[in-house]
Amino acid sequence: MPPVRRRTLRDIADSLDLSVNTVSRALAGKDSVSEYTRALVRAEAERIGYVPNLHARSLVLGSVMMLGLVITNPSNPFYAQLIHAIELRGRAKGYSLLLVVSDESEEYEARAVDSLLRSGVDGAIVVPVQGETNPWGQLHRMGVPVVFLNRDLPGVERDFVGTDNRLGARQATEHVIARGARSVVLMEEDLPITTVRERVAGFTEAMASAGLPCDERSVVRVPTRRDEQMALPWHPDEAYAVAQAILDRPDRPDAVVVGNDFYALGLYRALAERGLRVPDDVLVVGFGDYPFSEFVAPPLSTVRLPAEEVGAAAVDLLLERIVGSADPTPLKRSFAPTLVPRGSTERRPTS
């Protein structure tokens, strides 16, 4: 059976005895076409199975109505939420989304730039790898607006929309201090990116403000798997091994702040094996508020990230850059996270 020929504007025009120009204006919703003709054209387009040719449309409009989104790892729960929020916002504005995954690889990141240029996207929202190179200047030089998402590139003047990770870590640390913790450890990912540096900064600020000791042993690094192109960027087993070492210290901490909720799973196991209880012996607070966090025992206090707000704001800013309606000065916008207290930091009163 031969393939069915793709339907065109000419097919609709011939069927209705209209000009191609009239059909095109009717489908585009132009005011110069009557409501009756517009309804007639749309009904015929649906009947014959007409699908707009985006390439042809781009030649006319100078736009493919497509946004590029480059993510390091879409299995990161926060990034999965961002993808959804960005797709919804873009769709509401008439844009489709081209998703490219860089896998924390500078090589794949460079390929992503090439893919976006070849696809002719109108603009790009990017989570940069933060390696030794910055390929995103190429898009900028080609007239393609770029908004950095979640991670910034220090020293690069470009729009940024993300979460205030420093504030989130400070909130988490102040939360356990307010509940009596005096020896607090931060378990944080061993990855040289701005989000990690910001959380470390927020932790140390909170400790200093409370007059509590904070030295190189107060921030413990968990080996990352993000640069190994793993489907899941974090695994509780690395956190479990690190937690064992922390809990075996003579000066065992009475609270642990973890850089993401997955680490709390490994920490919970290490605590249970030593007969230590959360929160009576050790307070635990996470970061991310992932779907499982309220179902562990005890439910995990954590910092909820504003994915919907960040994603929508990134799209809105990018669209402003595309049409040239915004002040050209690079904008840096961070949204505040929300502390969600649960059972892992609520000690039972002693009788």
Side-chain angles (χ1 to χ4, degrees):
M1 181 177 178
V4 177
R5 180 178 62 84
R6 181 182 180 127
R7 300 300 187 177
T8 67
L9 293 175
R10 171 62 65 185
D11 294 322
I12 302 174
D14 290 346
S15 176
L16 300 176
D17 196 23
L18 297 171
S19 70
V20 172
N21 185 46
T22 298
V23 170
S24 176
R25 286 186 285 113
L27 290 175
K30 300 296 185 181
D31 294 335
S32 55
V33 180
S34 70
E35 285 295 333
Y36 172 78
T37 300
R38 189 157 34 239
L40 201 66
V41 168
R42 289 175 176 170
E44 181 64 13
E46 183 175 352
R47 187 188 72 80
I48 68 173
Y50 169 75
V51 178
N53 186 318
L54 292 181
H55 178 67
R57 185 186 184 194
S58 70
L59 295 177
V60 176
L61 300 178
S63 168
V64 295
M65 298 298 289
M66 180 183 294
L67 306 178
L69 174 60
V70 181
I71 295 286
T72 52
N73 192 318
S75 66
N76 179 330
F78 178 53
Y79 286 170
Q81 292 174 324
L82 283 176
I83 292 170
H84 186 244
I86 290 168
E87 199 279 330
L88 283 180
R89 192 67 159 198
R91 185 198 310 165
K93 301 292 185 178
Y95 285 81
S96 57
L97 191 67
L98 174 63
L99 175 65
V100 184
V101 177
S102 67
D103 266 332
E104 296 290 356
S105 164
E106 292 182 60
E107 177 187 352
Y108 292 167
E109 188 176 55
R111 292 182 187 178
V113 172
D114 185 61
S115 295
L116 296 180
L117 288 173
R118 289 178 182 275
S119 301
V121 296
D122 299 293
I125 298 171
V126 174
V127 179
V129 170
Q130 295 190 314
E132 298 298 324
T133 61
N134 171 29
W136 303 111
Q138 183 180 356
L139 282 180
H140 183 72
R141 290 189 296 272
M142 297 295 290
V144 180
V146 175
V147 173
F148 287 147
L149 180 72
N150 196 47
R151 302 179 187 175
D152 206 357
L153 282 181
V156 177
E157 291 300 312
R158 197 75 74 243
D159 292 316
F160 165 82
V161 179
T163 300
D164 191 338
N165 285 278
R166 182 188 293 246
L167 172 62
R170 192 166 66 240
Q171 289 175 332
T173 309
E174 290 172 345
H175 179 66
V176 294
I177 292 173
R179 279 151 180 74
R182 291 299 175 264
S183 174
V184 188
V185 166
L186 171 66
M187 289 176 57
E188 186 51 82
E189 186 174 14
D190 186 14
L191 193 67
I193 56 176
T194 53
T195 50
V196 170
R197 288 195 290 268
E198 290 164 2
R199 287 194 293 268
V200 172
F203 170 77
T204 56
E205 286 174 1
M207 295 291 283
S209 295
L212 296 178
C214 183
D215 54 29
E216 66 277 0
R217 298 176 73 247
S218 302
V219 179
V220 180
R221 301 290 183 167
V222 180
T224 185
R225 289 190 179 183
R226 288 210 241 183
D227 53 4
E228 298 175 9
Q229 298 174 25
M230 304 290 291
L232 186 66
W234 309 294
H235 283 253
D237 52 352
E238 279 96 352
Y240 168 68
V242 170
Q244 287 180 310
I246 295 173
L247 298 177
D248 287 341
R249 292 178 181 176
D251 54 343
R252 187 192 72 221
D254 54 13
V256 180
V257 177
V258 297
N260 72 75
D261 290 355
F262 279 101
Y263 291 166
L265 299 179
L267 174 60
Y268 269 35
R269 177 180 174 183
L271 286 163
E273 289 178 349
R274 283 157 178 75
L276 299 173
R277 294 172 299 174
V278 179
D280 298 332
D281 298 308
V282 179
L283 301 169
V284 179
V285 59
F287 210 94
D289 194 25
Y290 299 150
F292 62 81
S293 301
E294 63 178 314
F295 294 100
V296 295
L300 180 65
S301 297
T302 186
V303 176
R304 179 177 298 156
L305 305 180
E308 292 184 7
E309 295 91 334
V310 171
V315 172
D316 290 346
L317 177 56
L318 183 61
L319 295 185
E320 289 181 1
R321 295 305 187 201
I322 290 171
V323 301
S325 63
D327 184 330
T329 305
L331 175 66
K332 309 287 185 181
R333 186 175 185 189
S334 294
F335 287 81
T338 303
L339 179 70
V340 182
R342 295 191 180 111
S344 66
T345 53
E346 292 299 328
R347 284 183 171 140
R348 292 183 290 273
T350 56
S351 55

